[in-house]
């Protein structure tokens, strides 16, 4: 089988195992008392009781189907596996059976190109911050689970999405997919570099893919954050409110890309390689 066929077969098997009422009852009983690594195992009798079954043959048959995939047997009974708790978390985060109609809402932020008011939209699970006046700014878009809207104003959602994106993209630049922990690949379009040319960071396994201005993935790096702090950049602000660096290719062999950021207290020059690994940081 091709790797893609194997993935498809694995997804099919993982989802189809859930398509049975008794198996769902077993999993829900385990998830009800799930406390991360502190989860106390449920004994066989407790689990059978929680599911409300008397027929141990039938119960065993379904428990056996789940064993190793969604249920793990430990010394004192049964606990949910990391796979089923991740699926459970995905449902809590994305609330697939609930709908959320969200009208475009003004937020306390402006377009980095024309200074007009910015608005926040929510569509297909993506938060977008856009300019209300011009087409010069492509805007900011990042996936944000529906659950993140609970208890947050539009302004707080914009901030939460920007923080989430910054951490995720920083981790992805560092070589780890924030969703599946797989390795990532960074693609810097050297032949086409301009101040706002996006670099692409993609997961080698799952569907994670972002196109970002090259400064954003570096904000996670201590040296870069402290240099930007020294020249007066307020990193509490969302990425689109930060100064746009002047970007140029300093050398092709080895690849060195320079980003020069100016703010009120000075200039920071950050040099990175083709994987966006920081090679030097200087403040003037
Ligand atoms: Zn604008
Ligand atoms: Zn991934």
């Amino acid at each position: 089988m091709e790797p893609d066929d194997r993935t498809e077969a694995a997804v099919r098997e993982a989802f189809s195992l859930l398509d049975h009422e008794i198996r769902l009852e077993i999993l829900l009983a385990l998830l009800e008392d799930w406390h991360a690594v502190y989860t106390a195992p449920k004994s066989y009798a407790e689990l059978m009781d929680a599911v409300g079954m008397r027929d141990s043959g039938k119960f065993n048959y379904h428990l056996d189907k789940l064993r190793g995939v969604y249920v793990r047997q430990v010394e004192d009974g049964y606990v949910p596996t990391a796979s089923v708790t991740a699926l459970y978390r995905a449902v809590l985060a994305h609330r697939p059976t609930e709908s959320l109609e969200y009208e475009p809402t003004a937020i306390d932020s402006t377009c980095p190109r024309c200074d007009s008011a910015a608005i926040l939209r929510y569509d297909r699970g993506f938060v977008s911050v856009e300019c209300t006046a011009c087409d010069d700014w492509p805007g900011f878009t990042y996936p944000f689970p529906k659950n993140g809207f609970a208890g947050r104003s539009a302004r707080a959602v914009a901030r939460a999405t920007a923080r989430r994106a910054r951490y995720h993209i920083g981790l992805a630049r560092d070589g780890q997919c924030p969703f599946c922990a797989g390795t990532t690949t960074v693609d810097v379009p050297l032949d086409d570099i301009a101040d706002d040319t996006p670099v692409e960071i993609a997961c080698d396994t799952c569907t994670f893919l972002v196109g970002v201005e090259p400064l954003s993935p570096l904000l996670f790096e201590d040296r870069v954050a402290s240099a930007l702090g020294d020249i007066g950049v307020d990193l509490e602000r969302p990425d689109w409110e930060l100064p746009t660096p002047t970007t140029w290719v300093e050398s092709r062999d080895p690849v060195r890309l320079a980003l020069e950021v100016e703010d009120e207290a000075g200039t920071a020059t950050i040099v990175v390689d083709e994987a966006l690994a920081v090679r030097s940081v200087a403040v003037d």
Side-chain angles (χ1 to χ4, degrees):
M1 272 197 289
E2 294 292 306
D4 278 355
D5 291 345
R6 272 208 300 274
T7 302
E8 198 192 301
V11 171
R12 201 177 288 277
E13 188 190 348
F15 281 136
S16 67
L17 272 174
L18 298 171
D19 186 22
H20 194 285
E21 199 150 338
I22 293 171
R23 280 175 240 155
L24 275 184
E25 289 300 330
I26 293 172
L27 293 176
L28 288 173
L30 287 172
L31 289 167
E32 195 179 47
D33 295 321
W34 170 51
H35 298 293
V37 75
Y38 313 106
T39 304
K42 265 196 164 52
S43 72
Y44 180 87
E46 279 173 330
L47 199 54
M48 200 163 152
D49 200 42
V51 174
M53 283 192 71
R54 298 242 166 89
D55 179 347
S56 67
K58 206 168 172 186
F59 178 74
N60 269 331
Y61 171 80
H62 290 292
L63 184 60
D64 215 44
K65 288 253 176 210
L66 296 171
R67 204 191 305 255
V69 183
Y70 293 133
V71 174
R72 177 174 293 269
Q73 188 168 10
V74 293
E75 208 177 320
D76 304 323
Y78 297 88
V79 289
T81 62
S83 296
V84 77
T85 56
L87 288 175
Y88 181 62
R89 272 206 185 103
V91 172
L92 295 185
H94 298 281
R95 311 204 167 249
T97 56
E98 295 169 27
S99 69
L100 174 67
E101 295 299 326
Y102 199 81
E103 293 297 318
T105 307
I107 53 167
D108 179 22
S109 186
T110 54
C111 167
R113 301 284 192 274
C114 77
D115 267 345
S116 299
I119 50 161
L120 182 124
R121 287 181 196 279
Y122 191 59
D123 192 24
R124 295 185 300 137
F126 290 87
V127 160
S128 297
V129 176
E130 295 168 6
C131 178
T132 48
C134 80
D135 291 326
D136 298 340
W137 181 44
F140 165 89
T141 300
Y142 198 72
F144 192 69
K146 227 179 271 164
N147 184 54
F149 281 80
R152 286 198 178 101
S153 64
R155 182 192 165 143
V157 166
R159 182 182 189 277
T161 310
R163 301 298 283 184
R164 188 176 181 82
R166 189 183 292 178
Y167 280 92
H168 282 180
I169 292 165
L171 195 61
R173 199 274 313 169
D174 194 41
Q176 180 184 169
C177 173
F179 292 99
C180 79
T183 54
T184 55
T185 301
V186 176
D187 183 24
V188 180
L190 284 181
D191 290 328
D192 193 23
I193 212 78
D195 294 349
D196 55 0
T197 308
V199 298
E200 243 179 45
I201 308 178
C203 174
D204 300 327
T205 309
C206 76
T207 56
F208 180 79
L209 168 69
V210 287
V212 281
E213 293 181 20
L215 185 61
S216 289
L218 305 174
L219 301 174
F220 202 56
E221 187 92 6
D222 289 343
R223 278 192 292 170
V224 173
S226 92
L228 293 176
D230 288 349
I231 63 163
V233 176
D234 177 7
L235 288 176
E236 281 295 309
R237 305 188 81 85
D239 292 16
W240 63 88
E241 290 183 7
L242 302 181
T244 301
T246 307
T247 305
W248 69 93
V249 178
E250 205 174 63
S251 138
R252 280 178 177 270
D253 188 17
V255 170
R256 294 291 181 264
L257 192 70
L259 312 171
E260 191 181 82
V261 189
E262 256 188 77
D263 210 334
E264 53 205 24
T267 303
T269 308
I270 303 148
V271 176
V272 297
D273 64 17
E274 71 274 23
L276 289 182
V278 177
R279 293 302 179 144
S280 69
V281 180
V283 174
D284 276 319

